[in-house]
Amino acid sequence: QVQLVESGGGLVQAGGSLRLSCAASGSIFSINAMGWYRQAPGKQRELVATITSGRSTNYADSVKGRFTISRDNAKNTVYLQMNSLKPEDTAVYYCNAAGVQTPKSIAAMSNGMDYWGKGTLVTVSS
């Protein structure tokens, strides 16, 4: 069973910084892409940033230049460094691991499965 556990959320003033971490555990052979999504109250979940195993990155326009995603493939961990935070960044941030290969998925010759963390709350006060 694969689990994703996020950490690093909290309350910060506008202009401040936070660093989120997400560690994937279980019988994992590889993870294709990892990423962060967020959901603000009353809004749909949206992409924040993703990073592939080859470290190609993709960012939402709203966070470009302020957020940086990185990953440690050996530790199956992804990070999100968030700088110059704004009140509109307030949301629950969810970690995603896509194309996770486990012994089961390899035996089934599939492309792997996607998993989500439970989320961590980031609150930015004005």
Side-chain angles (χ1 to χ4, degrees):
Q1 183 73 9
V2 175
Q3 289 187 324
L4 303 182
V5 178
E6 302 107 332
S7 61
L11 174 64
V12 64
Q13 288 188 333
S17 298
L18 282 176
R19 188 185 193 222
L20 304 183
S21 299
C22 171
S25 62
S27 299
I28 299 171
F29 283 151
S30 63
I31 302 174
N32 182 21
M34 300 186 79
W36 292 94
Y37 293 72
R38 68 186 180 187
Q39 187 167 16
K43 295 188 177 181
Q44 290 188 331
R45 189 174 299 189
E46 63 176 5
L47 178 146
V48 176
T50 60
I51 184 168
T52 67
S53 57
R55 293 183 172 79
S56 294
T57 59
N58 180 48
Y59 294 93
D61 288 343
S62 59
V63 306
K64 283 181 181 176
R66 300 188 297 122
F67 291 9
T68 302
I69 190 170
S70 60
R71 68 186 279 180
D72 184 332
N73 289 335
K75 295 181 179 180
N76 291 326
T77 299
V78 63
Y79 307 95
L80 186 69
Q81 178 66 43
M82 305 185 293
N83 299 328
S84 302
L85 283 161
K86 304 175 181 180
E88 51 263 44
D89 294 318
T90 295
V92 177
Y93 284 70
Y94 295 92
C95 176
N96 171 264
V100 180
Q101 290 287 6
T102 63
K104 185 176 181 179
S105 66
I106 290 177
M109 294 186 288
S110 75
N111 291 325
M113 292 183 62
D114 293 0
Y115 295 88
W116 290 90
K118 293 182 179 181
T120 185
L121 178 63
V122 172
T123 304
V124 184
S125 63
S126 58

